[in-house]
Amino acid sequence: PPATTLEVEGAITDFVSAANFKVLGQTVDASAATISGGSLADLGNGRKVGAVGTVSGGVLRASKVEIKDAPELTEASAKGAIANYVSVANFTVAGRKVDASAAKFENGSAANLANGRQVEVEGLLNGAILVAKQVSFQ
């Protein structure tokens, strides 16, 4: 039987990688897709996208993905434990890459950043990176 073509548009959720995320509850594999409005590295939770492709095994194998939001204008936040800590400009929270090098800190300072620390980060997306305006220690 011919493959079913599907198009979904909405915010990315459950982001694991470009090959495994959801849009409107539909699992999407965009690893081989043509990307417009950004690159594969720009994909992440909260990004607004349109994806079109064929459905196989319940997965939308996207041939095209359009990133719909402008990264420099998108406000974002992440809350959770710090992981993959390298420096104040390079760590992750809730799977989101964070650069807090120009952030204001509440209930702590940059020196308190460490793997496992609970934080809430607020800022703007620059591609896939959350450029923090404020980091609050929980």
Side-chain angles (χ1 to χ4, degrees):
T4 302
T5 299
L6 180 66
E7 182 172 355
V8 293
E9 186 172 320
I12 293 174
T13 60
D14 302 328
F15 183 84
V16 175
S17 69
N20 184 0
F21 61 90
K22 291 184 179 179
V23 176
L24 299 177
Q26 171 65 55
T27 301
V28 178
D29 175 352
S31 60
T34 301
I35 309 292
S36 61
S39 69
L40 279 177
D42 295 324
L43 299 176
N45 285 326
R47 296 305 305 262
K48 292 182 179 82
V49 298
V52 63
T54 57
V55 176
S56 173
V59 176
L60 172 59
R61 311 245 180 241
S63 57
K64 295 179 187 173
V65 173
E66 179 183 357
I67 298 174
K68 304 268 189 183
D69 55 0
E72 64 277 7
L73 302 177
T74 304
E75 291 188 15
S77 65
K79 187 174 184 176
I82 294 173
N84 305 311
Y85 182 81
V86 176
S87 70
V88 67
N90 184 356
F91 59 95
T92 60
V93 175
R96 170 72 67 194
K97 291 180 184 177
V98 177
D99 175 353
S101 58
K104 293 181 181 178
F105 291 87
E106 186 176 289
N107 302 323
S109 69
N112 300 117
L113 294 171
N115 287 328
R117 291 296 308 262
Q118 293 288 325
V119 294
E120 183 171 2
V121 181
E122 297 178 24
L124 297 174
L125 287 177
N126 181 2
I129 298 171
L130 175 54
V131 179
K133 288 182 177 179
Q134 180 164 326
V135 177
S136 302
F137 290 90
Q138 305 295 303

